[in-house]
Amino acid sequence: MPPRPDTRGLIERIGASDRHEFGDFFISRLLGLRIEYPTGGCDVTFEVVPELTNPVGTLHGGIMATAIDVSMGHLLFKTHASPAATLEMKIQYLAPALVGEMVVCRASFLRAGKSINYVRSEARNASTEALYAFATATWKATKPSGNEGRQS
């Protein structure tokens, strides 16, 4: 049986801020995402906690897909200084992530363009580097709207 969720910790994490901007928005706080920009990429790191698991006790695939998508979207925002939209994404799951493990989703460009970009992200165990999943996606950079702090 999976460990009991810590709903108090989850609520505190969500309520830590009411900001809604790149790097600090509701979904990132909900999932406990830490977003960093190493040379030429974007890393999104989070711990697998019981609240993020499926009934089997492993990280829910939709949570993994969301973290991967966030890593790619933040990479594009950082490099293009404007928001971008996912046109399509294909994800392949290779191994389950378990409660207590740290996952790092590392996004990088396959091919960067002015408007259309091809991006990949790998989700790995932060300490063993075991590969959980990887995705490729096509993104379209959009023109800045003046509300970039409201995008996610």
Side-chain angles (χ1 to χ4, degrees):
M1 181 178 218
R4 185 180 179 106
D6 173 20
T7 52
R8 179 175 294 156
L10 178 66
I11 291 168
E12 288 172 4
R13 189 169 64 215
I14 293 168
S17 171
D18 62 354
R19 294 170 41 175
H20 195 70
E21 58 194 43
F22 276 87
D24 185 16
F25 59 107
F26 181 82
I27 298 277
S28 67
R29 290 190 304 275
L30 175 67
L31 302 181
L33 306 180
R34 187 178 76 234
I35 302 166
E36 300 173 310
Y37 301 96
T39 305
C42 177
D43 287 359
V44 170
T45 306
F46 65 99
E47 181 180 3
V48 179
V49 294
E51 299 90 346
L52 305 181
T53 62
N54 58 32
V56 178
T58 62
L59 180 66
H60 188 281
I63 302 296
M64 180 76 77
T66 298
I68 285 173
D69 187 68
V70 168
S71 73
M72 292 188 280
H74 278 66
L75 173 64
L76 280 147
F77 183 77
K78 182 79 167 177
T79 57
H80 285 304
S82 69
T86 312
L87 297 178
E88 62 81 30
M89 181 171 83
K90 177 185 179 185
I91 187 166
Q92 293 182 272
Y93 299 96
L94 304 173
L98 306 174
V99 171
E101 295 178 338
M102 292 296 291
V103 176
V104 60
C105 301
R106 181 162 292 144
S108 60
F109 285 101
L110 291 169
R111 180 174 292 174
K114 290 180 183 177
S115 176
I116 302 298
N117 295 269
Y118 302 93
V119 186
R120 71 175 281 128
S121 183
E122 293 182 347
R124 293 183 176 271
N125 181 296
S127 40
T128 69
E129 296 191 12
L131 185 61
Y132 296 123
F134 67 95
T136 56
T138 307
W139 285 74
K140 179 171 178 46
T142 58
K143 294 179 182 178
S145 66
N147 290 326
E148 285 70 39
R150 301 291 304 159
Q151 304 294 319
S152 61

